[in-house]
Amino acid sequence: SSGINAEYGQHYYITNNLSMAETPRIGGRIDLDKPRWQQDTYLGRAKHFFSVTDPRNVLLSGKQLDGAKELLKLYRERKEPAGTTDAQVFAAKKMYESAFHPETQQKMFLPGRMSFQVPGNMTITGFMMTYYRTTPAVLFWQWVNQSFNAVVNYTNRSGKSDIPESLLLKSYLAATTCAVGVAVGLNKATVKLPPLVGRFVPFVAVASANCVNIPMMRQSELVNGIDVVDENGAVVGQSKAAAKSAIVQVVLSRIIMATPGMALTPVIMDTLDTKTKLFKGRAWLAAPVQVGLVGFILTFATPLACAVFEQNSSISVKNLETNIQDKLRETGSEAKFLTFNKGL
């Protein structure tokens, strides 16, 4: 049994009639190695990431996930159960991609999965933005946030070039120190400013930590470069310039991801606090309201931010290292751009 019955597949797989190019099929069959929607448009990328980050995937049981993996295995071998529909295959693909590492095929630790980004971040960010006034609270919630980031980074590490534990620890400590330092420093600097200004301190701290954490985590790429490939998928060389571009894009997308929830929520909460009586005598209500607001915003901000840049980005040949340009000339290539995987 594939573990995915028709009723569940029909319920879980949501179709729509938007005009959007799907990835071309191979011999009439679904290409399991590529996203369902072509990734050369923002809408196609957004649809893909809405699927990958869907928080409902967190509720899937081990049996359902293993069933999805088995169905895809059978489909690859052209041995799927008779009557298996495209809807069921796409449902299985969505489930599989939400829980299994793309390179190792191992089931990932739940808190590190992309589908856990919304429930995990909404809880941590909500509390981080509620309890931001005292130094102990700042220390605790910034530490929790960077610990969560470390779990996500480790879980989604490359299966081919493992992240050394020493590097993971260094980037974790550096990001935590940066986030705490910025938050504590800004709290002191804004103590005499309007309360609304103080509500933005956690956002600045998180953005600053991202600028430290991601480059440190991927510093080996900055030293050794990352693969750049031609239009045929052949590796031309390793480029440090492409690595810099990749890391800048990831840092920006992470900041864009955090911005709506951490910029809009303070304004809404300040308005509710000063213009209404919602929290009068009910101070305990601030945390769940803030968590709910952040969660609602992150449900949309997470996939939309991931989709800002193409996963396989391009870089002009004239911006690459001399040795790569020389290699292209030697082979008679007239390529103007090469591509690279930017990571997440």
Side-chain angles (χ1 to χ4, degrees):
S1 170
S2 69
I4 305 176
N5 58 40
E7 181 181 356
Y8 182 80
Q10 186 177 6
H11 168 75
Y12 194 78
Y13 171 71
I14 301 175
T15 61
N16 67 50
N17 294 318
L18 288 175
S19 176
M20 188 183 305
E22 288 192 351
T23 298
R25 302 200 174 196
I26 302 174
R29 293 174 68 80
I30 296 168
D31 185 351
L32 298 181
D33 295 319
K34 294 181 180 178
R36 180 185 174 190
W37 296 279
Q38 290 190 26
Q39 300 294 286
D40 56 352
T41 66
Y42 178 76
L43 190 56
R45 296 193 296 275
K47 291 280 289 182
H48 170 65
F49 282 110
F50 265 107
S51 173
V52 171
T53 63
D54 188 341
R56 292 176 300 172
N57 292 328
V58 173
L59 303 176
L60 296 170
S61 68
K63 184 178 180 180
Q64 288 172 314
L65 293 173
D66 290 337
K69 183 177 182 179
E70 177 64 16
L71 178 59
L72 295 181
K73 177 177 177 291
L74 294 172
Y75 189 82
R76 282 185 186 279
E77 298 170 351
R78 297 176 177 263
K79 297 177 182 178
E80 70 272 15
T84 298
T85 65
D86 284 356
Q88 288 173 290
V89 176
F90 279 127
K93 191 172 187 295
K94 177 178 179 178
M95 285 186 265
Y96 177 84
E97 290 174 346
S98 78
F100 292 88
H101 194 283
E103 292 174 328
T104 66
Q105 283 78 54
Q106 297 298 309
K107 195 179 294 181
M108 294 184 288
F109 183 47
L110 179 61
R113 298 175 192 171
M114 289 303 292
S115 56
F116 196 80
Q117 283 289 292
V118 171
N121 272 324
M122 68 181 275
T123 304
I124 295 169
T125 303
F127 280 104
M128 189 164 50
M129 295 176 69
T130 301
Y131 304 108
Y132 65 92
R133 293 185 177 90
T134 67
T135 300
V138 168
L139 288 169
F140 177 75
W141 285 109
Q142 291 293 346
W143 167 72
V144 170
N145 185 49
Q146 293 308 322
S147 297
F148 177 64
N149 286 342
V151 169
V152 172
N153 287 333
Y154 185 74
T155 303
N156 292 280
R157 68 195 184 282
S158 170
K160 295 178 180 176
S161 54
D162 207 359
I163 300 173
E165 291 183 6
S166 59
L167 177 57
L168 188 72
L169 180 61
K170 287 178 184 176
S171 60
Y172 167 58
L173 292 175
T176 303
T177 302
C178 175
V180 170
V182 170
V184 172
L186 286 180
N187 268 348
K188 291 180 179 179
T190 60
V191 69
K192 294 182 180 180
L193 297 177
L196 178 59
V197 177
R199 288 181 180 272
F200 285 96
V201 169
F203 169 58
V204 179
V206 167
S208 301
N210 274 330
C211 293
V212 172
N213 187 22
I214 296 169
M216 280 203 67
M217 184 68 68
R218 298 175 62 173
Q219 62 182 271
S220 62
E221 297 177 19
L222 293 171
V223 174
N224 303 315
I226 58 175
D227 289 347
V228 284
V229 302
D230 61 21
E231 58 185 4
N232 299 315
V235 176
V236 178
Q238 286 71 44
S239 168
K240 297 176 186 178
K244 290 177 184 177
S245 178
I247 290 170
V248 167
Q249 289 180 41
V250 171
V251 169
L252 287 175
S253 66
R254 294 279 185 97
I255 293 174
I256 292 169
M257 189 186 301
T259 298
M262 300 191 81
L264 292 177
T265 303
V267 175
I268 296 171
M269 290 298 293
D270 190 68
T271 302
L272 291 175
D273 197 22
T274 58
K275 307 291 186 185
T276 74
K277 297 180 179 180
L278 181 63
F279 301 130
K280 299 295 188 220
R282 294 188 292 268
W284 59 269
L285 196 57
V289 168
Q290 195 142 239
V291 169
L293 278 170
V294 173
F296 176 77
I297 295 171
L298 278 176
T299 300
F300 299 94
T302 300
L304 293 177
C306 287
V308 169
F309 301 104
E310 288 191 54
Q311 190 64 41
N312 291 309
S313 297
S314 61
I315 184 169
S316 173
V317 168
K318 65 183 180 182
N319 293 329
L320 292 171
E321 290 81 353
T322 305
N323 66 307
I324 295 177
Q325 296 185 38
D326 291 342
K327 185 174 181 179
L328 288 170
R329 276 194 292 269
E330 288 170 7
T331 58
S333 172
E334 297 182 358
K336 302 295 184 185
F337 293 89
L338 296 180
T339 60
F340 58 90
N341 189 321
K342 71 175 179 63
L344 280 174

